[in-house]
Amino acid sequence: MRNFIYILIGFLGLNTNAQLINDESYLDLEFLKFKTELLHCVIQKDKEKLKGFLANRVLESKNTCGYPGCTKDEFIKYYFEENSEESWKNMLTILRFGFSRVEDENPNNIIPHDKIIFQGPSYLKKVDRDNEIIVIGENVNIREKPSLKGKVIRQSSFEKFSCDCNIITMKKSTYQTVDGINWLEIKLKSGQVGYISAELTSYSLIKEMIIAKIDGKWKIISFFNSPGC
C-alpha cells in the first residue's frame, strides 16, 4: 500500500512540472476517489475488477462491437485479453497525465450521462494534434538528426513543439524509424528542425478516455483513438 501511495503522489505531482499537464481531478472529490481506485486496479491489471468501473456499454474505435459500443464483457475480451499489455499501458498513461473537467454539449448521445465529464489525458485541451506535440518526459533529448548518433541540440521537459503530425499530410521526414527508435520531426521556436523519440511525446498516446456520471455513479463510457489517428 505504501508503494501505491508513492506512485499516486508521483502522478499528482506532475501538475507542478508543467502547465500543459493540468489534472483537474481534484475539482470533484467523488471523481478523485474513482480515479484513485481505478489507478490501483490498473496497476494490479485486475480485469475482473475493471468491469466495475465500466458503463454497461463502452464506446471504442476498433468497430469490433459496432453501434453503440461494447458490453462490459466484450470490452474486456477485445482490449484486456486479446491485446492486454497495450491496453493496460494506455490506460495507465492516461491516468498518469490526468483529466480535464469538461461540459459535454450532447450528454444524451448514445450513452446518456450527466453533463459534466472528465476527459483524459488532460493535455488534450492544450494541443492541436495535427500541428503540435507535447514532450511527456523530463530531460528528453532533441537531436539534430533522427539517430542516436545525432548531436543533441537541447533537452526538453513537458514542452510543446510544432509538428506536421497529420497522418494524411505528413512528409516522409516527419516520422522515421532509425536505430530501432521511431523519430518525430519537430520545429523549435527558433525555426530549427530537430528529432525526438515519438514514444516520449503525446504523439505516442492516441487513446482518449471519457468518464461520466451515470445514475449518480462515475463510469468509463469511452476508450477510443482520437480522430485522424
Side-chain angles (χ1 to χ4, degrees), residues 14 20-25 35 90-102 118-127 129 134 136 201-211 222-224 226:
L14 284 169
L20 293 172
I21 299 169
N22 181 26
D23 186 5
E24 297 180 333
S25 301
K35 178 196 166 187
N90 286 335
M91 193 168 281
L92 182 61
T93 302
I94 291 171
L95 288 164
R96 180 187 178 198
F97 293 113
F99 295 81
S100 295
R101 187 176 183 269
V102 180
F118 281 87
Q119 181 188 41
S122 64
Y123 57 71
L124 288 175
K125 291 173 65 174
K126 304 289 182 66
V127 61
R129 290 192 173 191
I134 295 175
I136 51 176
T201 73
S202 56
Y203 187 86
S204 66
L205 179 63
I206 61 176
K207 284 289 184 183
E208 299 178 12
M209 184 160 64
I210 294 178
I211 300 173
S222 69
F223 186 68
F224 59 95
S226 61

Side-chain angles (χ1 to χ4, degrees), residues 46-166:
D46 190 336
K47 63 184 180 183
E48 289 302 316
K49 189 174 181 180
L50 181 61
K51 289 182 182 179
F53 295 92
L54 304 176
N56 288 333
R57 301 202 75 88
V58 181
L59 300 179
E60 48 82 43
S61 48
K62 289 185 178 179
N63 294 321
T64 49
C65 304
Y67 180 89
C70 295
T71 64
K72 292 184 180 184
D73 288 336
E74 289 172 332
F75 182 78
I76 295 295
K77 175 184 177 181
Y78 293 127
Y79 285 89
F80 293 91
E81 290 180 1
E82 298 181 359
N83 195 20
S84 62
E85 286 306 312
E86 181 180 357
S87 295
W88 286 122
K89 178 183 177 182
N90 286 335
M91 193 168 281
L92 182 61
T93 302
I94 291 171
L95 288 164
R96 180 187 178 198
F97 293 113
F99 295 81
S100 295
R101 187 176 183 269
V102 180
E103 187 171 314
D104 192 345
E105 296 179 355
N106 193 7
N108 293 315
N109 184 34
I110 306 177
I111 302 172
H113 52 269
D114 288 2
K115 200 165 187 177
I116 297 299
I117 63 174
F118 281 87
Q119 181 188 41
S122 64
Y123 57 71
L124 288 175
K125 291 173 65 174
K126 304 289 182 66
V127 61
D128 173 1
R129 290 192 173 191
D130 286 339
N131 300 292
E132 298 172 326
I133 60 96
I134 295 175
V135 176
I136 51 176
E138 291 185 323
N139 302 319
V140 176
N141 288 331
I142 300 175
R143 297 182 181 271
E144 192 175 45
K145 297 180 180 179
S147 168
L148 291 175
K149 297 178 182 178
K151 178 182 177 182
V152 176
I153 300 172
R154 54 166 289 198
Q155 291 185 320
S156 173
S157 302
F158 302 99
E159 190 176 356
K160 185 189 295 185
F161 293 96
S162 297
C163 169
D164 295 324
C165 295
N166 187 301

Side-chain angles (χ1 to χ4, degrees), residues 171-188:
K171 303 174 295 184
K172 288 184 179 181
S173 62
T174 301
Y175 189 83
Q176 306 175 56
T177 302
V178 182
D179 299 331
I181 296 174
N182 297 320
W183 297 95
L184 201 61
E185 184 180 81
I186 61 174
K187 185 178 292 185
L188 283 64

